[in-house]
Amino acid sequence: LKTMSGDEETRDWGKGGDEDSIGDDLVEEEVEAELTLSEAIKQVLRKARITGTLYRGLREACRVLDSKQALFAVLASNCDHPEYVKLVESLCAEFDVNLLKVPDNVELGKLAGLCKYDDEGNARKVVAASVVVVHQDIAKESDRAVEWLINFVKESGSA
């Protein structure tokens, strides 16, 4: 922490062996333990939407999957078209992309930003999304949810 005037002492909190840094480590571990799969997917999709690494819809998803630049594909379990499901699953298997499934395509559309918000912050005019793909460039960002999701997929083998 640097102060405005150069006369005062500069302190670096949280580094070193003081008891404050031990408490911060414990709080960080508790936060990571609270992260669930659905919450991690929500945070990763929000981060991808902000950074421009989220591709929504079958056409964009297939383009990114085919170019072998996808980190995750998120597929809605209640997709209306079984041929979409088959195509996305086969592309993920062919190019070794992690496939995650969510139960509802309307909720996936909301998470992907395919909606408008009213004055109270409630989602209106939500467009359902069957598939969204997260580009591998999001792994360059140091984000707790992205790292958690990557570790989850590695540990479980498949979601």
Side-chain angles (χ1 to χ4, degrees), residues 118-145:
D118 62 8
D119 294 336
E120 291 98 31
N122 299 322
R124 302 281 185 222
K125 297 183 181 181
V126 180
V127 177
S130 296
V131 63
V132 297
V133 172
V134 179
H135 196 277
Q136 63 190 5
D137 284 347
I138 198 169
K140 294 177 184 174
E141 308 277 330
S142 69
D143 188 55
R144 179 177 63 91

mmCIF file of all heavy atoms in Angstrom, residues 118-145:
data_model
loop_
_atom_site.group_PDB
_atom_site.id
_atom_site.type_symbol
_atom_site.label_atom_id
_atom_site.label_comp_id
_atom_site.label_asym_id
_atom_site.label_seq_id
_atom_site.Cartn_x
_atom_site.Cartn_y
_atom_site.Cartn_z
ATOM 1 N N ASP A 118 -34.401 -5.470 -17.438
ATOM 2 C CA ASP A 118 -35.254 -4.332 -17.147
ATOM 3 C C ASP A 118 -34.615 -3.460 -16.069
ATOM 4 O O ASP A 118 -33.477 -3.692 -15.656
ATOM 5 C CB ASP A 118 -36.663 -4.788 -16.753
ATOM 6 C CG ASP A 118 -36.689 -5.638 -15.498
ATOM 7 O OD1 ASP A 118 -35.644 -5.767 -14.827
ATOM 8 O OD2 ASP A 118 -37.763 -6.178 -15.173
ATOM 9 N N ASP A 119 -35.351 -2.449 -15.615
ATOM 10 C CA ASP A 119 -34.810 -1.492 -14.647
ATOM 11 C C ASP A 119 -34.459 -2.125 -13.309
ATOM 12 O O ASP A 119 -33.565 -1.662 -12.617
ATOM 13 C CB ASP A 119 -35.802 -0.343 -14.420
ATOM 14 C CG ASP A 119 -35.977 0.501 -15.671
ATOM 15 O OD1 ASP A 119 -35.045 0.506 -16.505
ATOM 16 O OD2 ASP A 119 -37.035 1.144 -15.813
ATOM 17 N N GLU A 120 -35.176 -3.183 -12.915
ATOM 18 C CA GLU A 120 -34.896 -3.852 -11.644
ATOM 19 C C GLU A 120 -33.769 -4.872 -11.748
ATOM 20 O O GLU A 120 -33.388 -5.492 -10.771
ATOM 21 C CB GLU A 120 -36.151 -4.561 -11.108
ATOM 22 C CG GLU A 120 -37.243 -3.622 -10.645
ATOM 23 C CD GLU A 120 -38.311 -3.424 -11.706
ATOM 24 O OE1 GLU A 120 -38.556 -4.365 -12.483
ATOM 25 O OE2 GLU A 120 -38.877 -2.325 -11.776
ATOM 26 N N GLY A 121 -33.258 -5.116 -12.952
ATOM 27 C CA GLY A 121 -32.176 -6.075 -13.134
ATOM 28 C C GLY A 121 -32.657 -7.478 -13.437
ATOM 29 O O GLY A 121 -31.861 -8.419 -13.449
ATOM 30 N N ASN A 122 -33.950 -7.647 -13.705
ATOM 31 C CA ASN A 122 -34.490 -8.960 -14.058
ATOM 32 C C ASN A 122 -34.323 -9.199 -15.550
ATOM 33 O O ASN A 122 -34.513 -8.293 -16.362
ATOM 34 C CB ASN A 122 -35.976 -9.043 -13.693
ATOM 35 C CG ASN A 122 -36.203 -8.851 -12.212
ATOM 36 O OD1 ASN A 122 -35.418 -9.316 -11.394
ATOM 37 N ND2 ASN A 122 -37.271 -8.149 -11.856
ATOM 38 N N ALA A 123 -33.986 -10.435 -15.916
ATOM 39 C CA ALA A 123 -33.777 -10.781 -17.319
ATOM 40 C C ALA A 123 -35.123 -10.839 -18.035
ATOM 41 O O ALA A 123 -36.069 -11.470 -17.551
ATOM 42 C CB ALA A 123 -33.062 -12.109 -17.433
ATOM 43 N N ARG A 124 -35.206 -10.180 -19.172
ATOM 44 C CA ARG A 124 -36.404 -10.186 -20.015
ATOM 45 C C ARG A 124 -35.984 -10.581 -21.421
ATOM 46 O O ARG A 124 -34.842 -10.400 -21.825
ATOM 47 C CB ARG A 124 -37.057 -8.802 -20.057
ATOM 48 C CG ARG A 124 -37.458 -8.276 -18.716
ATOM 49 C CD ARG A 124 -38.760 -8.907 -18.271
ATOM 50 N NE ARG A 124 -39.186 -8.298 -17.019
ATOM 51 C CZ ARG A 124 -39.670 -8.967 -16.019
ATOM 52 N NH1 ARG A 124 -39.821 -10.267 -16.125
ATOM 53 N NH2 ARG A 124 -40.026 -8.381 -14.917
ATOM 54 N N LYS A 125 -36.935 -11.116 -22.162
ATOM 55 C CA LYS A 125 -36.695 -11.513 -23.553
ATOM 56 C C LYS A 125 -35.476 -12.429 -23.662
ATOM 57 O O LYS A 125 -34.563 -12.184 -24.454
ATOM 58 C CB LYS A 125 -36.516 -10.285 -24.444
ATOM 59 C CG LYS A 125 -37.734 -9.398 -24.531
ATOM 60 C CD LYS A 125 -37.497 -8.263 -25.491
ATOM 61 C CE LYS A 125 -38.712 -7.364 -25.546
ATOM 62 N NZ LYS A 125 -38.521 -6.252 -26.484
ATOM 63 N N VAL A 126 -35.454 -13.480 -22.880
ATOM 64 C CA VAL A 126 -34.328 -14.414 -22.889
ATOM 65 C C VAL A 126 -34.442 -15.328 -24.108
ATOM 66 O O VAL A 126 -35.493 -15.908 -24.369
ATOM 67 C CB VAL A 126 -34.298 -15.264 -21.599
ATOM 68 C CG1 VAL A 126 -33.135 -16.231 -21.623
ATOM 69 C CG2 VAL A 126 -34.226 -14.371 -20.382
ATOM 70 N N VAL A 127 -33.366 -15.428 -24.859
ATOM 71 C CA VAL A 127 -33.287 -16.320 -26.010
ATOM 72 C C VAL A 127 -32.567 -17.585 -25.562
ATOM 73 O O VAL A 127 -31.474 -17.517 -24.990
ATOM 74 C CB VAL A 127 -32.531 -15.645 -27.176
ATOM 75 C CG1 VAL A 127 -32.394 -16.590 -28.348
ATOM 76 C CG2 VAL A 127 -33.225 -14.370 -27.596
ATOM 77 N N ALA A 128 -33.166 -18.732 -25.812
ATOM 78 C CA ALA A 128 -32.557 -20.000 -25.417
ATOM 79 C C ALA A 128 -31.310 -20.272 -26.263
ATOM 80 O O ALA A 128 -31.262 -19.940 -27.439
ATOM 81 C CB ALA A 128 -33.562 -21.142 -25.588
ATOM 82 N N ALA A 129 -30.316 -20.877 -25.644
ATOM 83 C CA ALA A 129 -29.084 -21.255 -26.337
ATOM 84 C C ALA A 129 -28.840 -22.735 -26.112
ATOM 85 O O ALA A 129 -28.859 -23.202 -24.975
ATOM 86 C CB ALA A 129 -27.905 -20.448 -25.818
ATOM 87 N N SER A 130 -28.629 -23.461 -27.172
ATOM 88 C CA SER A 130 -28.367 -24.892 -27.040
ATOM 89 C C SER A 130 -26.910 -25.174 -26.728
ATOM 90 O O SER A 130 -26.595 -26.121 -26.020
ATOM 91 C CB SER A 130 -28.763 -25.623 -28.323
ATOM 92 O OG SER A 130 -30.145 -25.516 -28.524
ATOM 93 N N VAL A 131 -26.019 -24.350 -27.269
ATOM 94 C CA VAL A 131 -24.596 -24.581 -27.061
ATOM 95 C C VAL A 131 -23.845 -23.249 -27.035
ATOM 96 O O VAL A 131 -24.181 -22.326 -27.780
ATOM 97 C CB VAL A 131 -24.005 -25.518 -28.149
ATOM 98 C CG1 VAL A 131 -24.104 -24.903 -29.520
ATOM 99 C CG2 VAL A 131 -22.584 -25.910 -27.842
ATOM 100 N N VAL A 132 -22.878 -23.165 -26.141
ATOM 101 C CA VAL A 132 -21.921 -22.061 -26.126
ATOM 102 C C VAL A 132 -20.534 -22.671 -25.961
ATOM 103 O O VAL A 132 -20.382 -23.739 -25.365
ATOM 104 C CB VAL A 132 -22.188 -21.020 -25.012
ATOM 105 C CG1 VAL A 132 -23.517 -20.337 -25.212
ATOM 106 C CG2 VAL A 132 -22.097 -21.624 -23.650
ATOM 107 N N VAL A 133 -19.541 -21.988 -26.513
ATOM 108 C CA VAL A 133 -18.173 -22.478 -26.451
ATOM 109 C C VAL A 133 -17.295 -21.370 -25.877
ATOM 110 O O VAL A 133 -17.432 -20.201 -26.251
ATOM 111 C CB VAL A 133 -17.666 -22.899 -27.852
ATOM 112 C CG1 VAL A 133 -16.187 -23.216 -27.829
ATOM 113 C CG2 VAL A 133 -18.440 -24.096 -28.348
ATOM 114 N N VAL A 134 -16.405 -21.748 -24.975
ATOM 115 C CA VAL A 134 -15.445 -20.826 -24.384
ATOM 116 C C VAL A 134 -14.098 -21.051 -25.053
ATOM 117 O O VAL A 134 -13.596 -22.174 -25.100
ATOM 118 C CB VAL A 134 -15.338 -21.048 -22.857
ATOM 119 C CG1 VAL A 134 -14.317 -20.113 -22.252
ATOM 120 C CG2 VAL A 134 -16.689 -20.872 -22.196
ATOM 121 N N HIS A 135 -13.537 -19.973 -25.601
ATOM 122 C CA HIS A 135 -12.253 -20.031 -26.301
ATOM 123 C C HIS A 135 -11.122 -20.282 -25.305
ATOM 124 O O HIS A 135 -11.195 -19.874 -24.155
ATOM 125 C CB HIS A 135 -12.022 -18.704 -27.038
ATOM 126 C CG HIS A 135 -10.953 -18.752 -28.068
ATOM 127 N ND1 HIS A 135 -9.630 -18.602 -27.753
ATOM 128 C CD2 HIS A 135 -11.008 -18.933 -29.408
ATOM 129 C CE1 HIS A 135 -8.909 -18.669 -28.863
ATOM 130 N NE2 HIS A 135 -9.719 -18.867 -29.882
ATOM 131 N N GLN A 136 -10.067 -20.913 -25.750
ATOM 132 C CA GLN A 136 -8.950 -21.253 -24.874
ATOM 133 C C GLN A 136 -8.173 -20.034 -24.394
ATOM 134 O O GLN A 136 -7.409 -20.126 -23.433
ATOM 135 C CB GLN A 136 -8.014 -22.239 -25.553
ATOM 136 C CG GLN A 136 -7.342 -21.716 -26.798
ATOM 137 C CD GLN A 136 -6.623 -22.802 -27.554
ATOM 138 O OE1 GLN A 136 -6.708 -23.965 -27.198
ATOM 139 N NE2 GLN A 136 -5.910 -22.427 -28.606
ATOM 140 N N ASP A 137 -8.355 -18.874 -25.008
ATOM 141 C CA ASP A 137 -7.660 -17.665 -24.559
ATOM 142 C C ASP A 137 -8.074 -17.239 -23.154
ATOM 143 O O ASP A 137 -7.350 -16.494 -22.505
ATOM 144 C CB ASP A 137 -7.907 -16.506 -25.528
ATOM 145 C CG ASP A 137 -7.087 -16.640 -26.801
ATOM 146 O OD1 ASP A 137 -6.168 -17.488 -26.819
ATOM 147 O OD2 ASP A 137 -7.371 -15.904 -27.767
ATOM 148 N N ILE A 138 -9.227 -17.705 -22.676
ATOM 149 C CA ILE A 138 -9.654 -17.335 -21.327
ATOM 150 C C ILE A 138 -8.737 -17.950 -20.277
ATOM 151 O O ILE A 138 -8.619 -17.437 -19.168
ATOM 152 C CB ILE A 138 -11.121 -17.723 -21.070
ATOM 153 C CG1 ILE A 138 -11.664 -16.952 -19.869
ATOM 154 C CG2 ILE A 138 -11.262 -19.220 -20.867
ATOM 155 C CD1 ILE A 138 -13.142 -17.044 -19.681
ATOM 156 N N ALA A 139 -8.037 -19.016 -20.613
ATOM 157 C CA ALA A 139 -7.113 -19.648 -19.666
ATOM 158 C C ALA A 139 -5.902 -18.760 -19.399
ATOM 159 O O ALA A 139 -5.222 -18.925 -18.388
ATOM 160 C CB ALA A 139 -6.670 -21.008 -20.182
ATOM 161 N N LYS A 140 -5.633 -17.802 -20.289
ATOM 162 C CA LYS A 140 -4.526 -16.875 -20.073
ATOM 163 C C LYS A 140 -4.829 -15.900 -18.943
ATOM 164 O O LYS A 140 -3.926 -15.402 -18.295
ATOM 165 C CB LYS A 140 -4.238 -16.093 -21.357
ATOM 166 C CG LYS A 140 -3.727 -16.962 -22.479
ATOM 167 C CD LYS A 140 -3.527 -16.165 -23.745
ATOM 168 C CE LYS A 140 -3.106 -17.074 -24.885
ATOM 169 N NZ LYS A 140 -3.037 -16.340 -26.148
ATOM 170 N N GLU A 141 -6.125 -15.618 -18.728
ATOM 171 C CA GLU A 141 -6.537 -14.765 -17.619
ATOM 172 C C GLU A 141 -6.401 -15.587 -16.337
ATOM 173 O O GLU A 141 -6.746 -16.752 -16.309
ATOM 174 C CB GLU A 141 -8.007 -14.353 -17.780
ATOM 175 C CG GLU A 141 -8.341 -13.749 -19.113
ATOM 176 C CD GLU A 141 -8.019 -12.277 -19.173
ATOM 177 O OE1 GLU A 141 -8.082 -11.635 -18.112
ATOM 178 O OE2 GLU A 141 -7.701 -11.792 -20.260
ATOM 179 N N SER A 142 -5.917 -14.986 -15.289
ATOM 180 C CA SER A 142 -5.827 -15.740 -14.040
ATOM 181 C C SER A 142 -7.132 -15.530 -13.280
ATOM 182 O O SER A 142 -7.341 -14.508 -12.649
ATOM 183 C CB SER A 142 -4.631 -15.288 -13.212
ATOM 184 O OG SER A 142 -4.829 -13.999 -12.720
ATOM 185 N N ASP A 143 -8.023 -16.483 -13.414
ATOM 186 C CA ASP A 143 -9.326 -16.407 -12.782
ATOM 187 C C ASP A 143 -9.563 -17.680 -11.986
ATOM 188 O O ASP A 143 -9.308 -18.782 -12.474
ATOM 189 C CB ASP A 143 -10.421 -16.227 -13.843
ATOM 190 C CG ASP A 143 -11.769 -15.957 -13.237
ATOM 191 O OD1 ASP A 143 -11.873 -15.004 -12.441
ATOM 192 O OD2 ASP A 143 -12.722 -16.696 -13.553
ATOM 193 N N ARG A 144 -10.057 -17.527 -10.785
ATOM 194 C CA ARG A 144 -10.255 -18.652 -9.871
ATOM 195 C C ARG A 144 -11.260 -19.652 -10.428
ATOM 196 O O ARG A 144 -11.057 -20.860 -10.367
ATOM 197 C CB ARG A 144 -10.726 -18.110 -8.526
ATOM 198 C CG ARG A 144 -11.004 -19.145 -7.479
ATOM 199 C CD ARG A 144 -11.396 -18.488 -6.172
ATOM 200 N NE ARG A 144 -12.623 -17.726 -6.267
ATOM 201 C CZ ARG A 144 -13.830 -18.237 -6.026
ATOM 202 N NH1 ARG A 144 -13.953 -19.489 -5.696
ATOM 203 N NH2 ARG A 144 -14.898 -17.486 -6.114
ATOM 204 N N ALA A 145 -12.360 -19.173 -11.018
ATOM 205 C CA ALA A 145 -13.392 -20.074 -11.527
ATOM 206 C C ALA A 145 -12.894 -20.862 -12.733
ATOM 207 O O ALA A 145 -13.206 -22.049 -12.868
ATOM 208 C CB ALA A 145 -14.645 -19.285 -11.883
#
